[in-house]
Amino acid sequence: MTVPTSPPGGPPARELVGELLARAQWTPERLAAHQRERLDGLLRHAVANSPYYRRVLGADAAHGGVPLRELPTLTKSALMEHFDEIVTDGRVRRGAAAAHLAGAEPGRLLAGHRVFSTAGSTGERGIVVSSPAEFTVWTAAHLRMMATMGATPGMRAVAIGSPSPGHLSRQMFAETGGPPGDAPELDVTTPMPELVARLNAYRPDAISTYASIAALLAEEQLSGRLAIAPAMVAAGAEILTEDMRRRVRDAWGVEPHQAYLATEAPLLASTSAAQVGMHLWEDLVLVEVVDAAGRPVAPGVPGHKVLITNLVNRVQPLIRYELSDSVTLAPGPDPTGRPFRRLSDVDGRSYEIITLPAAGGATVSVHPAHLRSPFTAFPEVVQYQLTYDDGGLTGRVVLRPGAPSGIPDRLRAALTRRLRYAGAIPPPITITAVAGLARDTGHAAKFHQFSRPGHLPPPDEGPA
């Protein structure tokens, strides 16, 4: 496919992309007024049309001016328990939506709406509903993102996303692409030799895919099997680690772009050509970074979870919806002059934090960044996975051909040192070299670098 000069859907969609791009020139005051107007409209709509929100928000919320921080939060469990009371179109009910997603054509409309599924840290599947008009806004938002990353009309682009037609990434890629049949139809479960052969034949200028696939394709380029020269590589759905970034830079001489996505709000933040962090698209979604108690955290401090308020969707209002993501706000204003705040890091899910014993009988919480860093220091490591259970930490690594046989032992020693640096008493650690690592079997087919039995969500969890 080629990057289109305008999104599908006719003049209204074309005009919308231009409008969204113009918002980057707003002043902070104009952005705040827009957010207040959209939030007040959302609250009025929710109180008038959703029995759940009418009950939990109260009639006063419809009068406008209510501070966001005073509103209750919404968990995924509550969303699913009260699904029929929250969705404002009576034609869409939880049972019918679940059956639709489990059916033969989950990508088709249900009662005129798109339906997506997402999993959570509790293991409970969530269902998200979006009208065609709402999805058009998010489609335009993705095209705005591509433009700010440096995509230009006529670029030969390829998208490698979920294998499921009902997954958000698959439907979004279909909407933001050019004429069907132009680019190869690929997904993250396509065998790597086939990916390489078809990309070599197509020679894309831009690639959008999962972070783990971007890193593996870079590895194929460095090995000489892949021979393409993309000017833009955009990664989402999974954590883009520093070792993944390094491999993309080494392979193609470009800094990879990163998108922070969620099924509940299809675009939260993304990098731009200036590479000054991830711009939060706060004209479409309100983002609160909070600690475990729900209190706002300062820029530079990793949060425990994220609260999102979707300013676009009305069929299924999502107000202060909880995501178990650990992200960090960047300090200071946006150097590009945009009125939006930025994220400096998206570090993963807060449930990946493990608690280990410390000196004197105490315990210490160890962030997953401590678990990742020893592996990123070894260029011989192509992929790795860690599991933490009662037996300790078990790691499996895929090594580059010709890597020294002692790498697993050196990794174990490095991880031991890192845990001690974090103040923990290291548990037993086993590192084993393997030929390959399988993807998760869920509809998103994501790749989890860290898991805890009993805590790992269903396979499609993670930033969308």
Side-chain angles (χ1 to χ4, degrees):
M1 66 184 178
T2 56
V3 175
T5 56
S6 59
R14 287 197 293 270
E15 294 166 6
L16 181 57
V17 174
E19 177 187 331
L20 295 185
L21 284 168
R23 292 177 183 179
Q25 307 303 317
W26 281 358
T27 64
E29 293 76 18
R30 185 173 180 184
L31 174 63
H34 168 84
Q35 292 172 328
R36 185 71 258 176
E37 179 183 1
R38 295 294 299 177
L39 177 59
D40 286 345
L42 172 64
L43 295 177
R44 284 194 300 271
H45 174 82
V47 170
N49 297 281
S50 162
Y52 172 81
Y53 280 117
R54 192 177 309 125
R55 183 171 63 253
V56 301
L57 296 178
D60 288 346
H63 298 159
V66 179
L68 184 64
R69 64 182 179 275
E70 295 181 3
L71 301 175
T73 62
L74 177 68
T75 64
K76 181 162 292 182
S77 295
L79 172 65
M80 295 310 296
E81 180 183 353
H82 302 285
F83 184 92
D84 291 352
E85 289 187 290
I86 291 175
V87 174
T88 60
D89 187 335
R91 299 174 298 167
V92 180
R93 289 295 173 253
R94 176 177 175 175
H100 178 75
L101 288 168
E105 297 182 286
R108 293 179 65 87
L109 298 182
L110 172 66
H113 302 303
R114 293 179 184 262
V115 183
F116 311 104
S117 67
T118 181
S121 56
T122 63
E124 180 179 20
R125 186 172 299 279
I127 298 175
V128 178
V129 183
S130 180
S131 74
E134 293 162 357
F135 195 73
T136 293
V137 175
W138 291 113
T139 300
H142 273 251
L143 288 164
R144 172 175 66 175
M145 173 190 73
M146 292 167 64
T148 59
M149 287 180 174
T152 58
M155 262 190 172
R156 292 166 60 83
V158 66
I160 308 171
S162 167
S164 170
H167 190 257
L168 175 67
S169 69
R170 183 72 171 267
Q171 295 194 40
M172 185 61 70
F173 285 156
E175 289 295 319
T176 56
D182 184 17
E185 293 187 9
L186 305 170
D187 64 64
V188 296
T189 64
T190 302
M192 186 55 65
E194 182 180 349
L195 276 179
V196 168
R198 299 185 73 180
L199 290 176
N200 277 338
Y202 184 64
R203 297 191 175 278
D205 302 311
I207 299 174
S208 297
T209 188
Y210 291 8
S212 60
I213 291 293
L216 288 175
L217 290 175
E219 190 69 25
E220 293 295 305
Q221 181 87 14
L222 293 169
S223 73
R225 291 182 290 271
L226 183 63
I228 60 176
M232 190 182 85
V233 176
E238 302 160 339
I239 301 303
L240 182 65
T241 61
E242 184 51 42
D243 62 313
M244 293 176 178
R245 288 182 177 278
R246 182 177 63 243
R247 270 186 273 171
V248 170
R249 288 195 296 265
D250 290 346
W252 296 302
V254 299
E255 185 68 28
H257 286 288
Q258 186 174 8
Y260 176 33
L261 317 165
T263 305
E264 297 87 351
L267 180 59
L268 295 168
S270 59
T271 52
S272 67
Q275 290 286 1
V276 291
M278 304 179 70
H279 311 276
L280 283 164
W281 298 110
E282 299 176 285
D283 55 327
L284 304 176
V285 59
L286 302 180
V287 176
E288 302 171 77
V289 182
V290 299
D291 62 17
R295 297 169 299 205
V297 300
V301 178
H304 186 79
K305 57 186 174 182
V306 174
L307 306 178
I308 62 170
T309 298
N310 187 323
L311 297 177
V312 174
N313 290 25
R314 294 291 189 270
V315 174
Q316 185 184 42
L318 295 173
I319 301 168
R320 304 196 82 201
Y321 180 82
E322 296 187 10
L323 297 176
S324 57
D325 294 335
S326 176
V327 307
T328 305
L329 288 167
D334 190 326
T336 67
R338 294 182 175 93
F340 311 116
R341 294 175 300 162
R342 293 165 298 127
L343 298 180
S344 59
D345 290 293
V346 178
D347 295 321
R349 298 284 176 165
S350 56
Y351 56 70
E352 294 178 336
I353 297 172
I354 63 175
T355 301
L356 294 177
T363 60
V364 62
S365 295
V366 178
H367 192 276
H370 289 294
L371 304 175
R372 289 194 294 262
S373 62
F375 295 89
T376 64
F378 286 81
E380 298 89 351
V381 175
V382 176
Q383 276 187 305
Y384 66 91
Q385 281 183 330
L386 270 176
T387 301
Y388 176 65
D389 56 23
D390 292 339
L393 280 164
T394 301
R396 298 185 300 156
V397 295
V398 177
L399 300 177
R400 282 179 172 166
S405 60
I407 292 296
D409 289 337
R410 293 170 61 191
L411 282 167
R412 183 177 60 80
L415 184 54
T416 298
R417 289 193 299 270
R418 187 67 185 190
L419 291 175
R420 286 177 176 155
Y421 171 79
I425 297 175
I429 299 173
T430 302
I431 307 291
T432 305
V434 297
L437 295 169
R439 286 192 165 269
D440 294 320
T441 56
H443 72 285
K446 292 184 181 177
F447 180 80
H448 289 285
Q449 290 181 315
F450 180 70
S451 65
R452 298 170 60 193
H455 296 268
L456 181 68
D460 49 0
E461 174 63 355

PDB file of all heavy atoms in Angstrom, residues 232-247:
ATOM      1  N   MET A 232      11.335   4.967   7.529  1.00  0.00           N
ATOM      2  CA  MET A 232      10.574   5.131   8.761  1.00  0.00           C
ATOM      3  C   MET A 232      10.176   3.762   9.296  1.00  0.00           C
ATOM      4  O   MET A 232       9.674   2.915   8.549  1.00  0.00           O
ATOM      5  CB  MET A 232       9.323   5.976   8.516  1.00  0.00           C
ATOM      6  CG  MET A 232       8.598   6.396   9.786  1.00  0.00           C
ATOM      7  SD  MET A 232       7.096   7.355   9.423  1.00  0.00           S
ATOM      8  CE  MET A 232       5.919   6.045   9.153  1.00  0.00           C
ATOM      9  N   VAL A 233      10.420   3.540  10.582  1.00  0.00           N
ATOM     10  CA  VAL A 233       9.997   2.322  11.262  1.00  0.00           C
ATOM     11  C   VAL A 233       9.226   2.747  12.503  1.00  0.00           C
ATOM     12  O   VAL A 233       9.751   3.482  13.349  1.00  0.00           O
ATOM     13  CB  VAL A 233      11.204   1.443  11.663  1.00  0.00           C
ATOM     14  CG1 VAL A 233      10.742   0.220  12.450  1.00  0.00           C
ATOM     15  CG2 VAL A 233      11.995   1.024  10.433  1.00  0.00           C
ATOM     16  N   ALA A 234       7.968   2.340  12.589  1.00  0.00           N
ATOM     17  CA  ALA A 234       7.120   2.697  13.728  1.00  0.00           C
ATOM     18  C   ALA A 234       6.735   1.430  14.467  1.00  0.00           C
ATOM     19  O   ALA A 234       6.271   0.461  13.858  1.00  0.00           O
ATOM     20  CB  ALA A 234       5.867   3.434  13.253  1.00  0.00           C
ATOM     21  N   ALA A 235       6.927   1.439  15.776  1.00  0.00           N
ATOM     22  CA  ALA A 235       6.662   0.261  16.600  1.00  0.00           C
ATOM     23  C   ALA A 235       5.638   0.595  17.674  1.00  0.00           C
ATOM     24  O   ALA A 235       5.665   1.661  18.281  1.00  0.00           O
ATOM     25  CB  ALA A 235       7.951  -0.238  17.249  1.00  0.00           C
ATOM     26  N   GLY A 236       4.731  -0.334  17.901  1.00  0.00           N
ATOM     27  CA  GLY A 236       3.739  -0.180  18.962  1.00  0.00           C
ATOM     28  C   GLY A 236       3.378  -1.540  19.517  1.00  0.00           C
ATOM     29  O   GLY A 236       4.060  -2.531  19.262  1.00  0.00           O
ATOM     30  N   ALA A 237       2.293  -1.587  20.298  1.00  0.00           N
ATOM     31  CA  ALA A 237       1.714  -2.817  20.832  1.00  0.00           C
ATOM     32  C   ALA A 237       2.526  -3.443  21.953  1.00  0.00           C
ATOM     33  O   ALA A 237       1.965  -4.051  22.856  1.00  0.00           O
ATOM     34  CB  ALA A 237       1.479  -3.850  19.728  1.00  0.00           C
ATOM     35  N   GLU A 238       3.843  -3.312  21.906  1.00  0.00           N
ATOM     36  CA  GLU A 238       4.720  -3.895  22.919  1.00  0.00           C
ATOM     37  C   GLU A 238       5.748  -2.843  23.352  1.00  0.00           C
ATOM     38  O   GLU A 238       5.895  -1.808  22.699  1.00  0.00           O
ATOM     39  CB  GLU A 238       5.451  -5.117  22.347  1.00  0.00           C
ATOM     40  CG  GLU A 238       4.523  -6.205  21.836  1.00  0.00           C
ATOM     41  CD  GLU A 238       5.218  -7.150  20.873  1.00  0.00           C
ATOM     42  OE1 GLU A 238       6.263  -6.781  20.290  1.00  0.00           O
ATOM     43  OE2 GLU A 238       4.698  -8.264  20.701  1.00  0.00           O
ATOM     44  N   ILE A 239       6.464  -3.135  24.432  1.00  0.00           N
ATOM     45  CA  ILE A 239       7.483  -2.215  24.907  1.00  0.00           C
ATOM     46  C   ILE A 239       8.652  -2.190  23.924  1.00  0.00           C
ATOM     47  O   ILE A 239       9.175  -3.233  23.537  1.00  0.00           O
ATOM     48  CB  ILE A 239       7.983  -2.624  26.303  1.00  0.00           C
ATOM     49  CG1 ILE A 239       6.811  -2.647  27.289  1.00  0.00           C
ATOM     50  CG2 ILE A 239       9.061  -1.661  26.791  1.00  0.00           C
ATOM     51  CD1 ILE A 239       6.059  -1.347  27.386  1.00  0.00           C
ATOM     52  N   LEU A 240       9.040  -0.996  23.517  1.00  0.00           N
ATOM     53  CA  LEU A 240      10.206  -0.814  22.651  1.00  0.00           C
ATOM     54  C   LEU A 240      11.412  -0.570  23.550  1.00  0.00           C
ATOM     55  O   LEU A 240      11.606   0.525  24.077  1.00  0.00           O
ATOM     56  CB  LEU A 240       9.983   0.368  21.697  1.00  0.00           C
ATOM     57  CG  LEU A 240      11.099   0.651  20.689  1.00  0.00           C
ATOM     58  CD1 LEU A 240      11.242  -0.497  19.701  1.00  0.00           C
ATOM     59  CD2 LEU A 240      10.819   1.964  19.958  1.00  0.00           C
ATOM     60  N   THR A 241      12.218  -1.603  23.748  1.00  0.00           N
ATOM     61  CA  THR A 241      13.349  -1.512  24.655  1.00  0.00           C
ATOM     62  C   THR A 241      14.549  -0.876  23.956  1.00  0.00           C
ATOM     63  O   THR A 241      14.600  -0.757  22.730  1.00  0.00           O
ATOM     64  CB  THR A 241      13.742  -2.904  25.176  1.00  0.00           C
ATOM     65  OG1 THR A 241      14.126  -3.729  24.060  1.00  0.00           O
ATOM     66  CG2 THR A 241      12.572  -3.558  25.895  1.00  0.00           C
ATOM     67  N   GLU A 242      15.538  -0.502  24.756  1.00  0.00           N
ATOM     68  CA  GLU A 242      16.714   0.161  24.196  1.00  0.00           C
ATOM     69  C   GLU A 242      17.487  -0.767  23.263  1.00  0.00           C
ATOM     70  O   GLU A 242      18.042  -0.326  22.256  1.00  0.00           O
ATOM     71  CB  GLU A 242      17.628   0.664  25.315  1.00  0.00           C
ATOM     72  CG  GLU A 242      18.842   1.447  24.826  1.00  0.00           C
ATOM     73  CD  GLU A 242      18.474   2.572  23.843  1.00  0.00           C
ATOM     74  OE1 GLU A 242      17.480   3.276  24.074  1.00  0.00           O
ATOM     75  OE2 GLU A 242      19.200   2.725  22.831  1.00  0.00           O
ATOM     76  N   ASP A 243      17.525  -2.070  23.564  1.00  0.00           N
ATOM     77  CA  ASP A 243      18.227  -2.975  22.663  1.00  0.00           C
ATOM     78  C   ASP A 243      17.500  -3.099  21.326  1.00  0.00           C
ATOM     79  O   ASP A 243      18.129  -3.235  20.276  1.00  0.00           O
ATOM     80  CB  ASP A 243      18.431  -4.346  23.311  1.00  0.00           C
ATOM     81  CG  ASP A 243      17.130  -5.041  23.643  1.00  0.00           C
ATOM     82  OD1 ASP A 243      16.255  -4.388  24.228  1.00  0.00           O
ATOM     83  OD2 ASP A 243      16.981  -6.239  23.341  1.00  0.00           O
ATOM     84  N   MET A 244      16.162  -3.044  21.351  1.00  0.00           N
ATOM     85  CA  MET A 244      15.402  -3.045  20.098  1.00  0.00           C
ATOM     86  C   MET A 244      15.701  -1.780  19.298  1.00  0.00           C
ATOM     87  O   MET A 244      15.893  -1.837  18.072  1.00  0.00           O
ATOM     88  CB  MET A 244      13.905  -3.140  20.380  1.00  0.00           C
ATOM     89  CG  MET A 244      13.458  -4.450  20.991  1.00  0.00           C
ATOM     90  SD  MET A 244      11.688  -4.391  21.394  1.00  0.00           S
ATOM     91  CE  MET A 244      11.435  -6.067  22.024  1.00  0.00           C
ATOM     92  N   ARG A 245      15.742  -0.636  19.969  1.00  0.00           N
ATOM     93  CA  ARG A 245      16.069   0.619  19.298  1.00  0.00           C
ATOM     94  C   ARG A 245      17.451   0.534  18.642  1.00  0.00           C
ATOM     95  O   ARG A 245      17.642   0.960  17.502  1.00  0.00           O
ATOM     96  CB  ARG A 245      16.058   1.781  20.297  1.00  0.00           C
ATOM     97  CG  ARG A 245      14.681   2.196  20.777  1.00  0.00           C
ATOM     98  CD  ARG A 245      14.809   3.384  21.717  1.00  0.00           C
ATOM     99  NE  ARG A 245      13.530   3.874  22.144  1.00  0.00           N
ATOM    100  CZ  ARG A 245      12.758   4.689  21.443  1.00  0.00           C
ATOM    101  NH1 ARG A 245      13.176   5.115  20.269  1.00  0.00           N
ATOM    102  NH2 ARG A 245      11.602   5.086  21.900  1.00  0.00           N
ATOM    103  N   ARG A 246      18.388  -0.005  19.389  1.00  0.00           N
ATOM    104  CA  ARG A 246      19.752  -0.070  18.878  1.00  0.00           C
ATOM    105  C   ARG A 246      19.824  -0.927  17.619  1.00  0.00           C
ATOM    106  O   ARG A 246      20.520  -0.575  16.652  1.00  0.00           O
ATOM    107  CB  ARG A 246      20.674  -0.643  19.960  1.00  0.00           C
ATOM    108  CG  ARG A 246      22.142  -0.699  19.540  1.00  0.00           C
ATOM    109  CD  ARG A 246      23.042  -1.212  20.650  1.00  0.00           C
ATOM    110  NE  ARG A 246      22.703  -2.590  21.010  1.00  0.00           N
ATOM    111  CZ  ARG A 246      22.249  -2.957  22.206  1.00  0.00           C
ATOM    112  NH1 ARG A 246      22.065  -2.053  23.155  1.00  0.00           N
ATOM    113  NH2 ARG A 246      21.978  -4.220  22.460  1.00  0.00           N
ATOM    114  N   ARG A 247      19.097  -2.036  17.612  1.00  0.00           N
ATOM    115  CA  ARG A 247      19.138  -2.911  16.439  1.00  0.00           C
ATOM    116  C   ARG A 247      18.527  -2.228  15.210  1.00  0.00           C
ATOM    117  O   ARG A 247      19.031  -2.357  14.097  1.00  0.00           O
ATOM    118  CB  ARG A 247      18.415  -4.220  16.743  1.00  0.00           C
ATOM    119  CG  ARG A 247      19.353  -5.269  17.317  1.00  0.00           C
ATOM    120  CD  ARG A 247      18.661  -6.593  17.480  1.00  0.00           C
ATOM    121  NE  ARG A 247      17.996  -6.680  18.762  1.00  0.00           N
ATOM    122  CZ  ARG A 247      17.178  -7.659  19.105  1.00  0.00           C
ATOM    123  NH1 ARG A 247      16.889  -8.608  18.237  1.00  0.00           N
ATOM    124  NH2 ARG A 247      16.630  -7.690  20.311  1.00  0.00           N
TER     125      ARG A 247
END
